[in-house]
Amino acid sequence: MYQGAYQPLNPTPDVYSSNILDLVLDPGVWPDPHTGTYIPVRETFTVETAGPGGKLNVPADVETYDYKNHKWTTVGPNAKATTKLALTFKLSNWHHGQPMTQADTRYGLYMSLEWSTQGAEGVADPRFDSEYKGVLTTWVDNFVGARFIGNEEVEVYVNYWFPDDSQIAAFASMFPTFPWE
């Protein structure tokens, strides 16, 4: 039996590690065992969508991480997205007593965008992990931006649609699962 190492970039490299990790993580949403729809666990959500064929206007101050230039930036004017997911987190303390904050959410987003994407063309990117890219390609390719509101709310803009709003929430959830200090 093979069991991979736990680490934040790709915490579940195999089914055995995944089964153990699922027992100790608090997810934002989780599938209801009776219906299969996703239910709130550590976040509540509201979905606004124009999908499958429409687009919503994204406010110009919504942020994204520019992985080519390694810095935070705004999406600017005229950005569009299929769906807006408004999340309200139920934060507490991490296992070692530190309080959860929006910095944990923001750093999780940074890690997803930075480590799963190549930087500038023709330049070796020491922050790129090809295995991590394989896990996150669909999410990264459909992520437009996020607006961080206070310490417990985030608006996530994605080019993703599904007939069941709970599936959208599961796709775009940004609840922090690891402390990033």
Side-chain angles (χ1 to χ4, degrees):
M1 177 173 90
Y2 169 78
Q3 182 173 339
Y6 298 112
Q7 44 94 9
L9 283 182
N10 188 9
T12 56
D14 60 83
V15 69
Y16 305 107
S17 301
S18 185
N19 288 340
I20 294 168
L21 196 58
D22 284 347
L23 296 173
V24 296
L25 284 182
D26 277 345
V29 295
W30 193 255
D32 183 298
H34 303 288
T35 66
T37 60
Y38 283 82
I39 56 175
V41 177
R42 294 291 300 265
E43 68 189 18
T44 56
F45 60 87
T46 304
V47 174
E48 178 184 342
T49 186
K55 291 288 184 182
L56 302 171
N57 292 322
V58 177
D61 64 341
V62 165
E63 295 179 79
T64 190
Y65 187 77
D66 178 354
Y67 55 85
K68 290 186 177 179
N69 295 303
H70 309 292
K71 64 179 184 176
W72 288 98
T73 186
T74 58
V75 296
N78 306 318
K80 304 280 187 195
T82 305
T83 300
K84 170 188 167 184
L85 177 68
L87 302 169
T88 301
F89 298 144
K90 297 174 187 173
L91 300 177
S92 59
N93 290 336
W94 292 107
H95 63 285
H96 60 305
Q98 291 294 325
M100 298 172 119
T101 70
Q102 204 67 286
D104 299 307
T105 308
R106 185 182 288 273
Y107 199 73
L109 175 59
Y110 154 79
M111 290 296 291
S112 298
L113 295 172
E114 178 70 77
W115 285 87
S116 66
T117 52
Q118 289 277 14
E121 181 102 18
V123 177
D125 189 348
R127 299 179 187 111
F128 174 69
D129 185 311
S130 60
E131 286 186 37
Y132 194 49
K133 177 185 179 181
V135 174
L136 287 176
T137 295
T138 302
W139 187 86
V140 169
D141 288 350
N142 289 288
F143 176 77
V144 175
R147 178 188 279 167
F148 301 91
I149 305 165
N151 195 45
E152 298 181 352
E153 295 180 29
V154 177
E155 294 175 353
V156 184
Y157 294 84
V158 292
N159 287 319
Y160 180 81
W161 177 82
F162 196 83
D164 175 14
D165 285 354
S166 78
Q167 294 287 333
I168 296 171
F171 176 82
S173 175
M174 288 181 42
F175 188 78
T177 53
F178 292 97
W180 295 101
E181 49 194 34

